[in-house]
Amino acid sequence: MKRKIKKHNVLVAATMSAGKSTLINALIGTELLPAMNEATTACHVYVQNENRKSGFYGGALRDDGRISRISSLKEGDIKKWNSIKGIKKIGVKGQFQGRLKYRDGLVFHDTPGPNNSQDVNHASVVFDVAKRVPIDTFIYVINATQVAITDDRNFLDEIISNLHGGIKSPPIFVLNKIDMLDPEKGEDVGAACKGVQAYLVERGFKDPIVVPCMAEIALCARKRINKEKMTRKQGWLLSDFLNSGEKNNSDYTEEAILSDEIRGKIRKRVLRNKVIDFLYFFIGGISRFRVKRAVSMSGIRIIEELIVLQREEGK
């Protein structure tokens, strides 16, 4: 008899162009969701981890009840579905890569950025999903270069009013695109995290968890590890980071704002992963080790461990 796997639903929200879809791609370990510097999510999209040999399959539900199915999803299929008027939900299943690979039943829910001027109803999709789906983990993505903009403040106020009491675990706030900060202009990652912490407390979130992250770097590194095709821009981005980020030894994961209890639990898990990365120095050589280290430096592993921790504590 097949064992029933309990789902762990992770709702990911953000204002437009914060890097939400890129973050989900980095977490699942492959470039599945469309991600550009514009509104790319038009409806509710969920991606569920499922133990299978390879690849993803899925379907799109239309307003009239018809379902379009694809047994082997290719890059661009979800983007095509997203562009079709009348598609209200897209469901995808397949095996994740990276730390979350063997976490069957883990489901990421992607929702539209609420400041998309093309559709004033996008903000309501987030709250509609939260009403229909029991949210076990809530992740809110903030663009490090656009903190406290009006759309962001308004959306956080709506979250406090509509979601905060129904979220089972403490929200995880991801300060994304920290690689876009300029240290020469005094833009310090640690100070940025503390500034976001103060901003969130002001908005009504008590003791917020804040994790600095470079989602695009994490995604590019994982694509290189998995030997997936990368765009020329992605190749340049990763190479530049490996040359400059490593040279500066900029591991921002220690800048995360966590309680002492959570930090202690996460540090042990992250340290274990770093030891495994070090083994790649002997197995895969210095080049593979450097790319694995880029994943650690990106902050993505702290987010993964927080999700795993919340799932374990929620059982």
Side-chain angles (χ1 to χ4, degrees), residues 5-12 24 26-29 46-51 56 92-109 133-139 172 222 303-312 315:
I5 297 170
K6 183 180 178 182
K7 290 183 181 179
H8 184 89
N9 293 292
V10 182
L11 176 60
V12 187
I24 297 175
L27 288 166
I28 66 179
Y46 73 84
V47 186
Q48 180 173 330
N49 193 25
E50 181 180 273
N51 187 8
F56 289 82
V92 178
K93 293 183 180 181
Q95 187 161 52
F96 296 175
Q97 300 300 313
R99 177 73 176 93
L100 304 177
K101 183 174 183 177
Y102 300 108
R103 303 287 170 172
D104 282 5
L106 187 63
V107 188
F108 285 107
H109 297 268
V133 179
I135 303 304
D136 301 292
T137 293
F138 178 70
I139 297 176
I172 301 169
R222 284 188 159 157
I303 302 168
E304 290 173 332
E305 296 301 346
L306 284 167
I307 294 170
V308 171
L309 184 63
Q310 291 190 354
R311 186 179 193 182
E312 291 174 351
K315 287 182 178 180

Side-chain angles (χ1 to χ4, degrees), residues 77-96:
D77 286 335
I78 294 179
K79 181 181 178 181
K80 187 182 295 183
W81 274 338
N82 236 328
S83 66
I84 299 174
K85 190 175 182 180
I87 297 289
K88 67 177 184 179
K89 183 169 72 172
I90 298 171
V92 178
K93 293 183 180 181
Q95 187 161 52
F96 296 175

Side-chain angles (χ1 to χ4, degrees), residues 17-19 22 37 141-147 175-189 192 212-218 233 236-238 240-241 244-245 248 250 252 297-298:
S17 300
T22 300
N37 289 321
V141 188
I142 299 173
N143 186 335
T145 66
Q146 297 178 348
V147 176
L175 184 59
N176 193 29
K177 303 189 180 184
I178 58 169
D179 46 323
M180 301 299 290
L181 299 179
D182 190 348
E184 294 182 7
K185 294 182 178 179
E187 296 175 343
D188 176 74
V189 173
C213 182
M214 297 174 279
E216 194 165 9
I217 293 295
K233 181 182 177 182
W236 287 340
L237 183 69
L238 181 59
D240 183 62
F241 176 78
S244 60
N248 297 328
S250 304
Y252 300 122
M297 294 169 69
S298 72

Side-chain angles (χ1 to χ4, degrees), residues 140-200:
Y140 187 84
V141 188
I142 299 173
N143 186 335
T145 66
Q146 297 178 348
V147 176
I149 59 174
T150 301
D151 291 307
D152 191 69
R153 291 198 304 270
N154 292 341
F155 192 29
L156 285 171
D157 289 345
E158 287 188 75
I159 288 171
I160 281 286
S161 300
N162 294 279
L163 288 185
H164 200 36
I167 302 171
K168 297 180 181 179
S169 302
I172 301 169
F173 294 94
V174 176
L175 184 59
N176 193 29
K177 303 189 180 184
I178 58 169
D179 46 323
M180 301 299 290
L181 299 179
D182 190 348
E184 294 182 7
K185 294 182 178 179
E187 296 175 343
D188 176 74
V189 173
C193 288
K194 290 176 182 176
V196 168
Q197 179 190 34
Y199 163 60
L200 292 170

Side-chain angles (χ1 to χ4, degrees), residues 106-300:
L106 187 63
V107 188
F108 285 107
H109 297 268
D110 192 9
T111 50
N115 63 337
N116 180 15
S117 60
Q118 297 172 2
D119 191 334
V120 296
N121 296 315
H122 276 191
S124 64
V125 176
V126 178
F127 307 114
D128 179 60
V129 171
K131 288 177 182 177
R132 292 185 289 104
V133 179
I135 303 304
D136 301 292
T137 293
F138 178 70
I139 297 176
Y140 187 84
V141 188
I142 299 173
N143 186 335
T145 66
Q146 297 178 348
V147 176
I149 59 174
T150 301
D151 291 307
D152 191 69
R153 291 198 304 270
N154 292 341
F155 192 29
L156 285 171
D157 289 345
E158 287 188 75
I159 288 171
I160 281 286
S161 300
N162 294 279
L163 288 185
H164 200 36
I167 302 171
K168 297 180 181 179
S169 302
I172 301 169
F173 294 94
V174 176
L175 184 59
N176 193 29
K177 303 189 180 184
I178 58 169
D179 46 323
M180 301 299 290
L181 299 179
D182 190 348
E184 294 182 7
K185 294 182 178 179
E187 296 175 343
D188 176 74
V189 173
C193 288
K194 290 176 182 176
V196 168
Q197 179 190 34
Y199 163 60
L200 292 170
V201 169
E202 179 188 328
R203 302 245 68 83
F205 294 92
K206 184 180 179 182
D207 300 323
I209 295 171
V210 182
V211 182
C213 182
M214 297 174 279
E216 194 165 9
I217 293 295
L219 175 61
C220 291
R222 284 188 159 157
K223 289 186 73 172
R224 176 70 60 82
I225 291 167
N226 297 331
K227 298 180 180 179
E228 293 184 15
K229 184 179 178 181
M230 299 171 67
T231 66
R232 187 177 300 176
K233 181 182 177 182
Q234 288 174 331
W236 287 340
L237 183 69
L238 181 59
S239 296
D240 183 62
F241 176 78
L242 291 175
N243 293 329
S244 60
E246 280 198 333
K247 185 177 180 181
N248 297 328
N249 196 29
S250 304
D251 189 341
Y252 300 122
T253 56
E254 286 301 314
E255 308 287 359
I257 295 176
L258 309 165
S259 68
D260 291 340
E261 181 185 1
I262 293 177
R263 185 178 296 280
K265 293 178 181 178
I266 295 299
R267 183 177 281 132
K268 290 179 182 178
R269 295 165 183 253
V270 172
L271 180 61
R272 178 189 60 206
N273 288 326
K274 286 184 177 181
V275 171
I276 294 172
D277 287 349
F278 187 70
L279 293 177
Y280 274 88
F281 178 81
F282 300 99
I283 300 172
I286 185 64
S287 178
R288 188 173 175 85
F289 166 70
R290 290 177 68 207
V291 178
K292 292 283 285 186
R293 186 167 178 264
V295 176
S296 295
M297 294 169 69
S298 72
I300 199 75

